[in-house]
Amino acid sequence: MNIETSNEEETKALASEILNSIKKSSDHATTIFLNGDLGAGKTTFAKGLAGALGVTEEITSPTFVIQKIYKLKADAPFKKLIHMDCYRLKTKEELFVLDIEEVLNNPDNLVLIEWPDKVREILAKPSEEIDFTFIDENTRKIAYAEKN
Ligand code: ADP
Ligand code: MG
């Protein structure tokens, strides 16, 4: 599926739509890989997804902390949203410091990973993978596999 969004709000709305189409895994975390250059819209997408899950805290980019964890409300389909940005990781092993295995093994977690290529070797196949491309100031191409 290839979609062009013409502003931030459309990218956030698409996040909500994609969230609804993803099947929750029962034996490990549900993961979404977000690919694309700086400014392509990955974090904007994460904000839309967090909003759709009822997160009211402000979502800021986890670039400097690598990982941010949001506890979700009781009626959400997951217990925690984990937003990761691997851009600054120097080695994939650094992820183990963050207890990545525990995070990925828990079916109650929804894990968003920006820059997954930095650590792909230690990750299983994602539940969904999305490619973001900058077209012009307000246009982004967003490509993903349709789940239903
Ligand atoms: P990334 O996480 O991929 O580096 P961000 O989501 O942090 O990217 O930044 C995307 C920037 O582009 C934001 O400043 C956002 O307002 C802007 N933008 C403009 N048009 C769009 C669009 N259609 N979708 C998403 N972001 C957009
Ligand atoms: Mg980002």
Side-chain angles (χ1 to χ4, degrees):
M1 186 79 170
N2 256 311
I3 282 193
E4 277 195 7
T5 62
S6 27
N7 55 54
E8 208 173 289
E9 292 315 313
E10 283 182 22
T11 295
K12 288 180 179 172
L14 180 65
S16 167
E17 212 176 285
I18 288 178
L19 173 68
N20 289 332
S21 72
I22 288 176
K23 204 169 162 283
K24 181 178 179 177
S25 164
S26 55
D27 60 329
H28 52 77
T30 298
T31 54
I32 306 179
F33 288 3
L34 306 174
N35 300 306
D37 288 335
L38 286 174
K42 305 180 294 299
T43 297
T44 301
F45 182 94
K47 288 179 185 179
L49 203 128
L53 286 166
V55 175
T56 51
E57 294 161 68
E58 195 196 346
I59 309 298
T60 53
S61 175
T63 307
F64 293 97
V65 291
I66 313 298
Q67 171 178 273
K68 286 196 174 164
I69 301 176
Y70 303 91
K71 201 167 174 293
L72 301 175
K73 300 205 172 78
D75 61 349
F78 299 92
K79 287 191 180 150
K80 283 179 187 167
L81 170 67
I82 290 120
H83 182 194
M84 306 187 62
D85 187 338
C86 300
Y87 183 69
R88 287 167 53 87
L89 290 184
K90 293 200 174 60
T91 67
K92 51 188 184 304
E93 287 73 24
E94 287 176 72
L95 266 198
F96 294 118
V97 177
L98 301 170
D99 287 328
I100 186 73
E101 287 153 309
E102 205 181 310
V103 167
L104 295 174
N105 282 335
N106 187 342
D108 288 323
N109 291 337
L110 174 60
V111 188
L112 300 181
I113 307 182
E114 299 189 37
W115 298 94
D117 280 344
K118 294 255 183 178
V119 294
R120 197 177 285 268
E121 290 154 62
I122 59 168
L123 299 173
K125 226 167 117 1
S127 312
E128 179 64 276
E129 178 146 23
I130 309 174
D131 297 328
F132 297 81
T133 311
F134 180 101
I135 304 291
D136 63 31
E137 193 185 346
N138 295 309
T139 315
R140 302 293 184 273
K141 188 179 89 182
I142 302 176
Y144 59 99
E146 254 184 304
K147 297 295 173 188
N148 52 22

